[in-house]
Each structure stands twice: as structure tokens, then as C-alpha cells.
Amino acid sequence: MVFSKRLFSTFVLPFILLFSFSQVSAQVLLTNQILDLRSESSFGKEIHKWSFKPGDSPRVTENTEDDFYLDEDEGEIKAHVFSYAQPNLDESVRTGWISGFQIQTGWDKVTDGDGELYFPSFFDYMEKYKGYGWYRTEITITSSDIQNKFKSRNLSLRLGQISQADAVYWNGKYIGGTGLLLDTDTNVQLEDKSLYSDKIRFYRIPFHLLKIDEPNVLAVRVYAKYPLSPGLSHDKFYISSYKYSERAEYWNDFKKIFVIVLTILLGCFYLYWQFLFRNEENATIYFSLGSIFMALNTLFQSQIIYSILSDGFWIKKLEYVTWVGLVHFLFNFIVRFAHVRSGWIKLTNRYIDGAGIVSAIVVLLSPNLLFLSKYFFYWSFFTILLGGALFYILFLGRKIPSMGTVSFGFFAFIMLMLNDIFVEMQWEWFPSHTYVKDYAFAAFTISVALSIVKNMIDSRKMVEKQKEEKERLSRYFSPAVMETIVADNIKLGGEEKDIATLFSDIVGFTTFAEKNPPGVVLSHLNTIFESLSDLIFHYSATLDKFIGDAIMAFWGAPKQTDLDAYHAIACAVDMQKKMVEINEQLGLEPGTFRLRIGVNFGEAIVGNIGSVKRMDYTVIGDAVNTAARLESHGIPGKVAVSEAAFLAAGGEKYIEYEDTKELNLKGKSEPVKVYFVTKVLPRD
């Protein structure tokens, strides 16, 4: 809870405040380096006046100027000259212009002084004017503007999103176009692939066409085939220095590339996280796929894509397909992240996945841009319903760690998506004209990233805690048993295995304990056990238990090898050598403490023996009892090895001994042959 409050105050609250301010001041450019051309007012100050003329312009037939451009297929083509683009309008084309016409609002949304729509029916407009219209405005650029504002005579014109094609003229000369070329004839109906409603236009103003301290005429020929916010309807419109616009265009591309690279990296990171830590779940996989689709969606929204594809219709199709995939992957992510197991939610999720597949197919098979846009517009309201369902799912999974963080991000995601829907609808009460899809997903991504980071921190703490637990358990259990305990793979029961068992007892310790204080006795015993335990672990044994001053260890479980008997005998020999060193280390006379060691090899039961509440990982059976009897009948300072262990270790080829005996052991009907081993030879 504390983490969520800190997150809200540190990240979410400033983001909401910044977003709220951007909605209020979306039309205000806080810079003195541009000349704003938008027609709306800010702080009571009129920004710019435009005029609008429905329909296409007649061509100028008598024209002596020769404007040509080179077409790769057609060769040299002469430009068409339009009457509406001329600096001075002839008497025949001066009438019919609507002055004070607002840009940043589709021409089918603009009202006159009485509040009546100028063009209430786009289809009537299309039938009468073939979808064409012209915007005109006069721009006076002073010497002071050149010197103080632009600091350059190389100027650039930025026109935001124009629906759906345009050609731009400066003082009667064509300076650029998108969809409409300078030789596009009057009333020509363009194909959908030539419609670019989302492309931001940057047109350089030729130096020789620029007039200083006198009016410049900007004329924009627009074409809208469908009722999708026709005309100059979105974003920023201004004049700036070419260097400034170049930086702005570079910054827009940089933001898109940054989002693309970041989301792909996040997707790859979440996949890595999935395979590394969360193999039992697939929530992170869905978020990874969502991140990748967001990267693709950002690419198809960016200006970069126009240098790759020239078909505006297919760019829009691919953008919508990636957006459909993004929404459905995020829905699946949250359902799985919240660990919602209800049957009806699973069934609903399947239907939603099916709807996503159908939506993607419909988008790809859309016959025209109008059908595509309308379908996606209504599908956007479907995503709002999904958002409402996800809020309920988030509520059900509210106890999941980090769910609060993800919920904040999802809430910001939904709110910013609503912004884009309202912008598309161009409702007058909603002041924004800017799409914020990238920022919407970024807000959600940041929240999920923070939750992942928090989970990583918690996992790191868990790993540290597990490490401390291992260190604590290592004082009581052998490494193999400790790993079994930590992995929580413990259950009652056992299995038969060939086990090498070692028993050792300290000779002389009882006498020492009678003559010394308990503290000294305990200190010496701990020193002996620590040294011998390290040696036993060195030979990969399982240290079963300490029995008074005795040690029991075995080889062959949990891991079994062909060298178990060999390692048991080698360890026993080294323990006898180590006991000599321990006496010296404790400052005792040689032989004060000696070891009696017995080693046997044979079939035994190994496993967790006891009860559910209290169990020991140990070995039982006749082979174990025989090892204990060998130790009790052994000779101090010697290693007593049964014939079974001697042969399993490789016999005389690897084991040297000084004597053999036949011992009658308790519980054995036949004598047991015992080898008193002195040396173990190295093996390959």
C-alpha cells in the first residue's frame, strides 16, 4: 500500500496534472520561434483568420509562366495553375468565400454566426463539389520576425493532419502536396491509397517566393473522399525556420523510434522474465506480445512508415490490425495477471479472442477507408466495454502483488484512449486536437515495468532469504539433503539403493569429558566435527547425523555414482589423517583423540522416515547395521572396511590394507571378512 501511494505521488499524479494542462493549453505553442497559423483563440487573442471556398478551383488557361517538374514515368510535365491559388483573385472567383473559417475543425463541423452548420451533409457536399475545397489566408512576415523570431530567411510551413489529401501554394506557386500533385486535374477522384489523413506535412517555402513586410498568400487545396474530419482538422499549423521544423520533425521521429525500440526491448525483457522466473504462468508472454504489437502500431502511426510504404490505405489497415492485437493481448495479460479462475471469465475471454481475430480479418478485408474508419471507430467503443470488464477483473485480483500499480497504469491508459476517441469525434466541448495513443500505452507500460521491478526486488529478497536459509540448513544437513528441503520435494517414503555407509566414533573423548569443564568439551567436539564434516562434504557424502561423539554418513543418495564405495573408503582414510592434525591444532598430546571407523556397502532403504510433522532423511537396513558393527569392533586409528565395500571400491587395484580378519558380528550368522585399509590409490 505504501509503495502504491509513493508511486501515485511520484509518477501518476504529475502525469495526470501534465495531461490536464496539455488539454487546456493544447493550442498554445510556448515558443517565440514560430508564427502560429491556427484559427482558434488563446487567452482572448485571435491567432489567425482563414477563408474557405467549397469545390475545386477552375484552372487558369492563359498562363505564360512555365512551371515544370520531372516525373520518372511521364518525363517533363507542366504544372496546372489554379485561380484560387493566385495571389490576387479575379472578379470571377472572388465570391463564395467564407471568411473566418476555422481550421483544426472538419468543414462538416463548422457553424456560422447563427450556429447552423455550413455543410451539414458531407455526401451532399461530395455530390456537389466532388470532395474538394480551398483554404486561403494572408501572412505578413516582417523584418523583425526574420531577425528576432525565425533568425533565418529559410522558412518552412508545417501543416498538421489534413484529411485526406492536399496541395499547397505559396504566392501562387506550388510548394508541395500529399496525395494531390501539381498536375492533378480538377475534380479528379483519388484512390484510397492516395489518402493520407495522419501524415504531418512539412513544406519548404522557396526563398525567392518569400515577401517581407507585405502580405504572402497561402492557399491549400484539399480533397476529402470520405466524411472523416475533412479539411485542415487536427494538430498544429505554423511557419518556422527550416532548421526549427527540421528539429521538430526529427524530434517527432525520435519519439516514435524511442517508443518502438523501448517497447521491443520491454517485450524481450518480459519474455526473458517469463522464462527465467515465471515458467508456471503465461501472463508475461501476453504482455510481451502486446509490447511488440505496440511497437508495430507506433511504426505505422509514425512519419517513418511513409518512406517505406506509399499506400496510405494499407498503412491504415496495418495500424488498426496492430492496435486490435495490442488490445486483445493486454486483455489476456490482465486476466492472467489477476489470476482470475472463474469459468465464465475464461469463456468470455475466448469469445473476446475470437472477436479480436474476426476484427483483424475485417480490417484487412475492408473495401475502403470509410468502412475501415467507421468500423474501427465503433470497435473503439467495444474496447471501452473491455476496459470496464477489466476494471472488474482488477478488482477480483486486487490482492495480487503489484496489482495496485498495474491498475493505476490501466486507468491512465483508458483515460488517454478516451482522448483519442473524442478527438476523432471532434466534439466542441473537448478542447484537445492531439492524439496520445503512444503516451497511453507508455503510461500502462511504465506501471507494468514498475510492477515487474517491484517483483524483481521481492524476488531478490526471496533469493537472499533462501540463501540465508540454505546457509542455516547447511549446518544441520548435507548439501544434497539441503537442496531437497529448499526445493520442497520432501515426502514420506523411501527406495532401495546400493549405499556406502560410514560410521565413526571418537576414542578417548569420554575420558576427556570426565576431566574437563563442559565448555571446553563442547568447544573441542565442535572443532572436531567441523573439520570432519568439511571432509565428508568434500567427498560428496550425505552427512546423516551426529550421535554423541559419533558421525554417520552415507554415499549413493540422493545422487548415486559408481564411485560411492571408493569415495567412502577414501574419506575414512583421510579422516584418520585429519584426526592427527586436529590433536595438534587443539594442543593435545598425540593420540588423545583417535577414530574408530567402519565402512560397508550394500542394499539399504533410503528416504524420509518418520512422520509428516517430523521426519529424517536417512538410511536403514542390514547394510547400515553392519557398518555400525564394524565401527564398534574396529581398531582405534584404523579403518575397518567390509569385503563388499572393498570389492565395490575396486579391490586391491585401488585399496591398500595391512591386515584382514574374520569378525563375528551381532546379527550375522556367518563371519564377515574385514580389511584394515591404510591407503587409497587415485583413480582416473
Side-chain angles (χ1 to χ4, degrees):
M1 186 67 183
V2 174
F3 179 81
S4 298
K5 289 181 179 178
R6 290 178 179 174
L7 170 71
F8 181 79
S9 60
T10 305
F11 296 99
V12 180
L13 184 58
F15 180 79
I16 293 174
L17 291 175
L18 178 61
F19 173 68
S20 301
F21 176 77
S22 67
Q23 298 303 311
V24 174
S25 59
Q27 308 311 310
V28 182
L29 291 177
L30 303 179
T31 175
N32 61 352
Q33 301 180 49
I34 67 168
L35 177 61
D36 200 338
L37 300 180
R38 290 172 292 188
S39 58
E40 292 189 1
S41 61
S42 169
F43 301 111
K45 180 181 178 181
E46 290 293 331
I47 294 182
H48 215 79
K49 293 290 187 180
W50 288 78
S51 297
F52 178 78
K53 180 74 176 287
D56 206 354
S57 169
R59 289 171 52 187
V60 177
T61 55
E62 297 180 2
N63 182 33
T64 57
E65 297 185 22
D66 293 327
D67 283 350
F68 294 94
Y69 80 103
L70 187 62
D71 185 273
E72 293 182 358
D73 298 324
E74 303 294 336
E76 200 172 50
I77 298 178
K78 192 175 189 302
H80 291 174
V81 181
F82 295 97
S83 299
Y84 294 173
Q86 298 304 298
N88 298 310
L89 297 178
D90 294 337
E91 290 292 337
S92 59
V93 294
R94 283 186 181 180
T95 59
W97 289 87
I98 305 171
S99 61
F101 201 88
Q102 286 189 341
I103 64 170
Q104 293 183 274
T105 303
W107 71 52
D108 57 349
K109 298 286 186 180
V110 178
T111 58
D112 58 19
D114 297 327
E116 298 292 331
L117 292 172
Y118 280 108
F119 310 105
S121 172
F122 176 84
F123 297 101
D124 291 343
Y125 185 99
M126 186 70 185
E127 183 178 355
K128 184 175 181 180
Y129 301 112
K130 308 304 181 185
Y132 283 87
W134 282 77
Y135 290 86
R136 277 177 65 96
T137 187
E138 289 189 354
I139 304 167
T140 300
I141 299 175
T142 65
S143 301
S144 177
D145 291 335
I146 295 294
Q147 184 175 356
N148 300 319
K149 184 188 295 288
F150 303 128
K151 299 179 181 179
S152 172
R153 289 177 177 267
N154 294 315
L155 303 184
S156 179
L157 173 67
R158 183 196 195 275
L159 299 178
Q161 297 178 8
I162 299 176
S163 184
Q164 293 131 34
D166 68 284
V168 181
Y169 297 82
W170 185 271
N171 289 329
K173 296 294 184 179
Y174 176 87
I175 62 172
T178 303
L180 293 174
L181 303 177
L182 58 82
D183 65 326
T184 302
D185 213 339
T186 55
N187 297 324
V188 170
Q189 298 299 295
L190 300 181
E191 297 181 2
D192 284 21
K193 67 178 183 180
S194 298
L195 307 180
Y196 302 89
S197 57
D198 293 338
K199 190 177 187 302
I200 297 175
R201 279 75 161 170
F202 283 96
Y203 301 125
R204 194 166 185 174
I205 300 174
F207 179 78
H208 68 281
L209 295 179
L210 182 63
K211 298 178 181 179
I212 307 298
D213 294 323
E214 57 180 299
N216 294 271
V217 176
L218 170 63
V220 183
R221 182 190 186 197
V222 294
Y223 170 77
K225 191 174 183 179
Y226 303 111
L228 306 172
S229 302
L232 281 64
S233 56
H234 292 92
D235 211 5
K236 305 180 184 74
F237 300 84
Y238 61 77
I239 293 175
S240 67
S241 67
Y242 181 72
K243 186 176 181 180
Y244 179 92
S245 65
E246 198 173 42
R247 286 200 307 267
E249 191 172 8
Y250 169 81
W251 177 242
N252 285 331
D253 289 342
F254 173 79
K255 287 191 293 184
K256 295 291 186 180
I257 293 173
F258 179 79
V259 171
I260 292 170
V261 174
L262 179 62
T263 48
I264 289 177
L265 289 177
L266 284 173
C268 294
F269 169 74
Y270 294 141
L271 283 176
Y272 172 74
W273 174 265
Q274 163 73 25
F275 294 130
L276 192 62
F277 294 108
R278 301 172 66 85
N279 292 328
E280 76 284 0
E281 297 181 2
N282 54 12
T284 314
I285 291 180
Y286 282 98
F287 190 83
S288 301
L289 294 173
S291 297
I292 294 171
F293 268 71
M294 181 61 211
L296 294 173
N297 182 264
T298 304
L299 173 64
F300 290 119
Q301 289 184 67
S302 70
Q303 304 305 301
I304 306 167
I305 191 63
Y306 295 104
S307 61
I308 302 174
L309 298 177
S310 59
D311 192 323
F313 188 31
W314 265 101
I315 290 175
K316 208 65 181 172
K317 282 185 177 182
L318 295 174
E319 176 193 336
Y320 288 164
V321 165
T322 55
W323 186 247
V324 170
L326 166 64
V327 168
H328 284 272
F329 282 131
L330 290 187
F331 185 88
N332 279 275
F333 162 72
I334 292 181
V335 170
R336 285 160 176 79
F337 187 84
H339 294 279
V340 177
R341 308 299 184 190
S342 301
W344 69 270
I345 291 181
K346 288 185 178 180
L347 182 63
T348 303
N349 195 29
R350 291 178 185 174
Y351 283 119
I352 291 173
D353 287 341
I357 295 173
V358 172
S359 297
I361 294 173
V362 171
V363 167
L364 291 174
L365 298 179
S366 297
N368 55 60
L369 184 61
L370 177 62
F371 177 87
L372 175 64
S373 299
K374 290 296 183 182
Y375 179 83
F376 192 74
F377 174 75
Y378 290 114
W379 181 87
S380 298
F381 285 95
F382 170 70
T383 63
I384 300 301
L385 294 177
L386 286 183
L390 287 181
F391 275 119
Y392 175 68
I393 292 173
L394 290 172
F395 174 77
L396 293 178
R398 60 191 180 278
K399 295 183 179 180
I400 300 298
S402 302
M403 182 56 75
T405 308
V406 173
S407 300
F408 277 124
F410 182 70
F411 176 75
F413 178 82
I414 293 295
M415 295 303 295
L416 296 179
M417 280 305 303
L418 283 173
N419 169 83
D420 286 10
I421 294 177
F422 294 151
V423 168
E424 187 70 27
M425 297 178 71
Q426 290 204 313
W427 287 350
E428 293 182 4
W429 56 268
F430 189 70
S432 177
H433 296 276
T434 304
Y435 291 118
V436 290
K437 283 181 183 176
D438 296 345
Y439 305 103
F441 186 76
F444 183 70
T445 301
I446 289 172
S447 71
V448 175
L450 288 174
S451 71
I452 294 292
V453 170
K454 183 178 182 297
N455 288 339
M456 288 180 67
I457 294 173
D458 293 341
S459 298
R460 179 66 179 269
K461 291 179 180 178
M462 187 179 297
V463 170
E464 293 294 333
K465 185 177 180 180
Q466 191 178 63
K467 184 179 179 181
E468 293 175 0
E469 185 72 8
K470 283 184 177 181
E471 290 178 356
R472 185 180 67 83
L473 292 174
S474 66
R475 301 169 187 170
Y476 299 92
F477 304 97
S478 66
V481 176
M482 178 188 65
E483 292 294 339
T484 303
I485 294 173
V486 172
D488 198 23
N489 292 328
I490 299 176
K491 58 183 178 180
L492 283 175
E495 57 181 331
E496 292 185 356
K497 281 189 175 184
D498 288 330
I499 300 293
T501 310
L502 179 152
F503 279 88
S504 74
D505 186 54
I506 304 174
V507 178
F509 194 81
T510 302
T511 304
F512 180 83
E514 292 175 350
K515 297 178 179 179
N516 291 277
V520 175
V521 174
L522 181 61
S523 175
H524 282 46
L525 184 61
N526 286 339
T527 299
I528 295 171
F529 280 167
E530 183 174 359
S531 297
L532 297 181
S533 297
D534 289 343
L535 192 60
I536 289 171
F537 290 151
H538 172 73
Y539 279 96
S540 303
T542 297
L543 179 55
D544 190 296
K545 60 177 70 73
F546 298 107
I547 312 169
D549 59 358
I551 296 176
M552 174 184 172
F554 58 88
W555 285 255
K559 296 181 180 179
Q560 191 171 27
T561 69
D562 294 334
L563 299 177
D564 290 333
Y566 174 83
H567 285 154
I569 297 172
C571 178
V573 172
D574 283 350
M575 286 173 67
Q576 293 289 13
K577 296 177 182 178
K578 177 62 71 173
M579 201 67 233
V580 176
E581 298 176 5
I582 292 173
N583 281 312
E584 294 178 358
Q585 179 183 346
L586 296 175
L588 302 175
E589 293 181 5
T592 301
F593 295 138
R594 292 178 296 169
L595 288 178
R596 242 187 354 251
I597 301 178
V599 179
N600 187 32
F601 182 80
E603 194 173 78
I605 303 295
V606 59
N608 296 299
I609 299 171
S611 68
V612 175
K613 294 183 178 180
R614 178 68 174 90
M615 64 181 71
D616 285 325
Y617 185 79
T618 188
V619 289
I620 58 174
D622 179 66
V624 179
N625 296 334
T626 299
R629 301 286 185 269
L630 288 174
E631 178 270 312
S632 63
H633 287 76
I635 302 173
K638 304 293 183 181
V639 177
V641 178
S642 68
E643 184 177 26
F646 178 80
L647 297 176
E652 295 182 354
K653 183 177 180 180
Y654 299 107
I655 310 298
E656 293 183 1
Y657 58 95
E658 61 182 13
D659 192 16
T660 62
K661 286 184 179 182
E662 298 281 340
L663 297 178
N664 292 312
L665 303 179
K666 183 180 179 180
K668 291 288 185 180
S669 59
E670 298 292 335
V672 176
K673 185 175 182 179
V674 179
Y675 294 79
F676 290 96
V677 176
T678 57
K679 186 177 181 181
V680 176
L681 301 178
R683 299 188 61 160
D684 295 337

